[in-house]
Amino acid sequence: MIKKISWKLFFTYIIIIIIFAISIELLATFHLRNYYIDYLASDLESTAHLIKDFLYKDISENNLFQIKSKTETLGKEIKTRITIVDIKGKVLSDSEENPTLMDNHADRPEIKEAMLGKTGKSIRYSFTLEIDMLYIAIPIVNDNHQILGAIRLALPLTEVNKNIGYLHRIVLSTTIIGLLIATLISIIISLNITKPIKEMTEISKKISKGDFSKKLKIHSQDEIGQLSLALNQMSEDLESKIKIISEDRNKIEVVLSSVIEGIAAIDKKGKLIICNNAFEKIIHCSQNKVLGRFHWEIIRNNQLNEILKETIQKGQTSTQEITVLFPQEKIFYASATPLGEKENIWGAVVVLNDITQIKKLEKMREEFIANISHELRTPLTSIQGFIETLKEGAINDPEKTQHFLEIIEKQSNRLNSLVEDILKLSKIESQEIVVNLQSTNLKELLDKVMAEFKEKIILKKIQISTNISPQFPLLKVDPEQIELALRNLLDNAIKYTPEKGEISISFLEREKDIYIEITDDGIGISQEHLPRIFERFYRVNKDRSRDLGGTGLGLAIVKHVVQAHKGTIGVDSTLGKGSKFFIILPKN
């Protein structure tokens, strides 16, 4: 590009010089030729007047012999052709030709002018002499101011043409020398002009690649110097703006990366232009593979694709709950908003808020309300029924009254246990109960719990074996909560173990944790119930559980207690062969 500009400037200068030289030559030739011709014409006119005075008497007397003789003599002396014509254009005498053989000259331009009393002038090609000739004619006027004829002098323009040719050679030589000098000067000027332009081009290329380290040197204060200064300023401004944009973009990326909601934006054509890490996880694809592609190519969810499509087409915000099945089933609240003015929508942004847990909690809440309503309704209905029976007259029968009161008491105790378990679970789940870690002797804690169930154990003739060393190390736990957990697990084991069954309790110290296991040979639990066994109010056999006085909250309480201690709880069971519940508590 720079070379082209250099050549353009070079040839521009050369063309200008050539045009200038040609113009000078044409003007000089024109003016010099006119000067010579005017000079010769003036000289010829003066000579013509002298010849007129010299020949006037002979012409007046029409002495042709003298006219011819004198004309030939004068023509040879002044080396100029002399022609004398009468008023009718007839040639009376000519210094070089026989007048009798010459045509009438009345139609000659210079003769016509002379016959009008003026000085006639004409330049034309002479076919006789094969050369351009200058003709000057003056009238011959008598004393009465009558025109008797004309004297015409003719001079070849050989000298003029010779001088013009000489001028051509001078101009040509000057032009060649000027071209050589101009070539050198134009090359120097072109390089001086294009050198900073070349530097600007190189700097511009570096700027386009993000390199702002180079600056242009200001060599002059002319337009190129001002352009260099402007380019340097533009580079600084551009570097500053790119830096600001990069910082803002990095901030946006950090913000988007830290947002747990999935966020993505598409353009009007449906191509993804931005998305955060959360969105990538939702669609199970990396950002490098999704940007620039159509959303329906990478989003395998018809609901989400329809929301984005509808938002672009209608230019309105769309919201909908969508379900994503892969890589795992989740529920999202999708909100898509158009980007741009209503009449100029250029894209859309969608925000995916994971409401899986909320939905799960909502479902659990609904189940909890249904379960607790059912659990409360059963004893309350029983109490209300027996009270009405007593009011209707059964109170007069002491035996029935006693039986009814025992049932009412039993149902009241059941309500009380249910309310207490609900309050305990609520406090644990809401973290109102602070874990009060203390160095606790687990053997003593187990002995205390077993003492509470001594009567039930003896009544069902259950064999209980414990495997815990008297020197078992102290463990930092909340004794009240761990006691509650052990109580619920042992209560369940006793309830679901048949008479003369066996229960074993083991405490094992391991390298990093304490392993607690309570095993029974009771009715066991089928495999389909195991994943939900620790949910609130979940019962394998609801009728059997109510008959045994269970509230359905015991194992849920145990789970939250163990989790509060950063431990884990699990169960292994086989239907008809018993169950094994185990707790793993970390050592502190």
Side-chain angles (χ1 to χ4, degrees):
M1 182 66 182
I2 300 301
K3 290 183 179 179
K4 290 183 179 180
I5 293 177
S6 300
W7 283 111
K8 286 179 180 179
L9 290 173
F10 173 74
F11 284 116
T12 300
Y13 293 140
I14 297 301
I15 291 171
I16 291 174
I17 292 170
I18 292 173
I19 293 173
F20 183 71
I22 293 174
S23 300
I24 290 176
E25 181 185 9
L26 293 175
L27 288 172
T29 302
F30 175 77
H31 287 290
L32 183 60
R33 183 182 179 84
N34 288 340
Y35 171 77
Y36 272 116
I37 290 173
D38 289 343
Y39 174 79
L40 290 174
S42 177
D43 187 55
L44 287 176
E45 185 178 357
S46 299
T47 303
H49 282 288
L50 291 174
I51 293 172
K52 182 190 74 171
D53 294 338
F54 182 71
L55 297 176
Y56 179 75
K57 183 179 179 182
D58 294 326
I59 294 172
S60 300
E61 296 176 353
N62 196 22
N63 191 348
L64 296 178
F65 177 78
Q66 289 294 327
I67 294 172
K68 184 178 180 183
S69 176
K70 292 179 180 180
T71 301
E72 292 177 353
T73 303
L74 287 173
K76 292 177 180 179
E77 289 181 359
I78 63 175
K79 297 179 180 180
T80 302
R81 183 178 180 181
I82 303 172
T83 304
I84 309 296
V85 297
D86 62 13
I87 190 65
K88 295 181 179 180
K90 179 181 177 182
V91 178
L92 301 177
S93 176
D94 189 274
S95 62
E96 295 181 4
E97 296 288 337
N98 186 353
T100 60
L101 300 177
M102 296 177 65
D103 297 330
N104 189 289
H105 280 38
D107 60 344
R108 302 293 194 269
E110 66 276 7
I111 299 299
K112 287 181 179 181
E113 289 290 323
M115 294 306 175
L116 295 174
K118 301 177 182 179
T119 299
K121 177 182 175 183
S122 176
I123 298 174
R124 62 179 178 272
Y125 185 78
S126 173
F127 292 97
T128 305
L129 301 176
E130 296 181 350
I131 192 172
D132 287 336
M133 297 291 289
L134 172 63
Y135 297 94
I136 296 295
I138 62 172
I140 301 172
V141 184
N142 62 16
D143 295 335
N144 296 323
H145 302 288
Q146 293 178 340
I147 297 175
L148 302 177
I151 298 176
R152 186 186 72 175
L153 300 183
L155 187 68
L157 295 180
T158 307
E159 189 67 25
V160 174
N161 292 334
K162 181 180 178 181
N163 290 331
I164 295 301
Y166 177 70
L167 179 62
H168 276 301
R169 290 192 294 274
I170 293 174
V171 172
L172 180 61
S173 301
T174 305
T175 301
I176 293 173
I177 295 171
L179 282 174
L180 294 175
I181 297 173
T183 300
L184 180 61
I185 295 173
S186 63
I187 290 174
I188 295 173
I189 294 174
S190 299
L191 291 176
N192 286 335
I193 293 175
T194 57
K195 184 179 179 182
I197 297 177
K198 183 177 180 181
E199 292 178 0
M200 292 179 194
T201 304
E202 295 298 326
I203 296 296
S204 299
K205 289 180 179 178
K206 291 182 179 181
I207 291 174
S208 66
K209 295 178 181 179
D211 182 4
F212 301 96
S213 60
K214 300 294 182 180
K215 301 297 180 184
L216 287 169
K217 295 180 180 179
I218 310 299
H219 299 287
S220 62
Q221 297 300 320
D222 57 9
E223 288 82 355
I224 292 180
Q226 294 298 318
L227 181 59
S228 300
L229 181 64
L231 188 61
N232 286 338
Q233 185 63 44
M234 183 194 72
S235 175
E236 293 177 3
D237 294 342
L238 188 61
E239 182 180 12
S240 176
K241 290 179 180 179
I242 289 177
K243 185 177 180 181
I244 294 172
I245 292 172
S246 298
E247 290 176 353
D248 292 342
R249 182 176 180 179
N250 291 335
K251 290 177 182 178
I252 292 173
E253 289 180 353
V254 170
V255 171
L256 288 177
S257 298
S258 62
V259 174
I260 60 173
E261 290 81 8
I263 300 175
I266 63 172
D267 60 19
K268 191 173 182 179
K269 295 180 180 178
K271 291 184 178 181
L272 275 166
I273 56 178
I274 192 173
C275 66
N276 65 350
N277 295 334
F279 188 83
E280 294 172 27
K281 293 179 181 179
I282 294 171
I283 65 173
H284 199 60
C285 192
S286 64
Q287 191 177 52
N288 294 332
K289 295 182 180 179
V290 302
L291 294 184
R293 296 177 60 186
F294 293 103
H295 65 86
W296 58 81
E297 292 180 327
I298 49 94
I299 299 176
R300 306 301 181 186
N301 187 284
N302 291 333
Q303 291 175 297
L304 182 54
N305 285 325
E306 286 299 320
I307 290 175
L308 290 170
K309 182 179 178 181
E310 181 181 348
T311 302
I312 291 289
Q313 291 178 345
K314 296 184 178 179
Q316 298 177 350
T317 299
S318 301
T319 59
Q320 185 179 340
E321 289 184 8
I322 64 173
T323 302
V324 176
L325 301 176
F326 184 82
Q328 58 182 353
E329 184 175 349
K330 285 189 175 182
I331 302 173
F332 293 91
Y333 180 78
S335 177
T337 304
L339 297 173
E341 300 295 333
K342 189 170 183 180
E343 296 180 356
N344 188 24
I345 303 299
W346 59 269
V349 61
V350 63
V351 179
L352 300 180
N353 194 350
D354 190 350
I355 59 172
T356 306
Q357 191 63 26
I358 295 175
K359 286 293 183 179
K360 185 177 180 181
L361 292 174
E362 184 178 341
K363 183 178 180 181
M364 290 175 65
R365 180 183 63 82
E366 293 174 355
E367 291 180 353
F368 176 78
I369 292 173
N371 286 328
I372 196 170
S373 299
H374 182 76
E375 294 296 334
L376 291 172
R377 188 182 296 112
T378 301
L380 286 174
T381 301
S382 180
I383 291 172
Q384 186 178 5
F386 285 115
I387 289 174
E388 290 177 356
T389 303
L390 289 173
K391 286 172 67 177
E392 290 175 357
I395 194 171
N396 296 321
D397 187 341
E399 185 176 346
K400 288 184 178 181
T401 299
Q402 182 65 31
H403 175 66
F404 289 164
L405 289 175
E406 289 176 358
I407 295 175
I408 291 173
E409 182 182 17
K410 180 181 178 182
Q411 296 298 332
S412 297
N413 291 335
R414 181 181 174 187
L415 278 174
N416 187 55
S417 297
L418 180 61
V419 171
E420 287 183 359
D421 284 349
I422 290 173
L423 291 175
K424 289 176 185 177
L425 182 61
S426 177
K427 288 181 179 180
I428 293 172
E429 287 182 341
S430 62
Q431 298 181 347
E432 290 183 11
I433 298 177
V434 180
V435 178
N436 183 19
L437 298 178
Q438 301 177 25
S439 295
T440 305
N441 188 318
L442 294 180
K443 186 176 186 313
E444 292 180 359
L445 200 63
L446 177 61
D447 292 340
K448 181 180 178 182
V449 172
M450 290 180 62
E452 295 180 16
F453 295 96
K454 185 176 181 179
E455 291 184 5
K456 290 184 178 181
I457 293 170
I458 293 173
L459 183 64
K460 295 187 69 172
K461 299 177 183 180
I462 294 174
Q463 296 291 326
I464 294 185
S465 60
T466 60
N467 181 20
I468 180 170
S469 171
Q471 289 78 34
F472 198 80
L474 300 178
L475 185 65
K476 279 195 173 184
V477 295
D478 187 324
E480 291 185 4
Q481 293 192 34
I482 295 299
E483 180 184 344
L484 177 63
L486 292 174
R487 183 183 299 114
N488 278 294
L489 289 176
L490 186 56
D491 183 34
N492 275 352
I494 293 171
K495 285 179 182 178
Y496 297 103
T497 299
E499 291 187 4
K500 298 181 180 181
E502 296 182 358
I503 297 175
S504 64
I505 304 173
S506 299
F507 284 69
L508 177 63
E509 179 186 7
R510 300 193 298 195
E511 184 178 355
K512 296 182 180 180
D513 52 43
I514 300 297
Y515 180 81
I516 302 173
E517 180 181 289
I518 298 178
T519 306
D520 64 66
D521 60 355
I523 60 176
I525 306 168
S526 60
Q527 293 298 314
E528 67 267 20
H529 296 294
L530 292 180
R532 301 188 61 190
I533 198 67
F534 293 104
E535 293 181 12
R536 293 174 295 181
F537 293 112
Y538 188 81
R539 295 187 179 92
V540 176
N541 189 322
K542 296 182 179 181
D543 293 334
R544 181 182 177 88
S545 177
R546 291 192 186 96
D547 291 341
L548 294 173
T551 62
L553 297 174
L555 290 178
I557 292 173
V558 174
K559 181 189 73 172
H560 286 287
V561 168
V562 173
Q563 288 177 348
H565 285 77
K566 298 180 181 179
T568 57
I569 184 172
V571 58
D572 291 325
S573 183
T574 303
L575 189 63
K577 293 184 179 180
S579 303
K580 177 179 71 176
F581 288 86
F582 58 89
I583 296 173
I584 300 174
L585 297 174
K587 288 182 178 179
N588 295 317

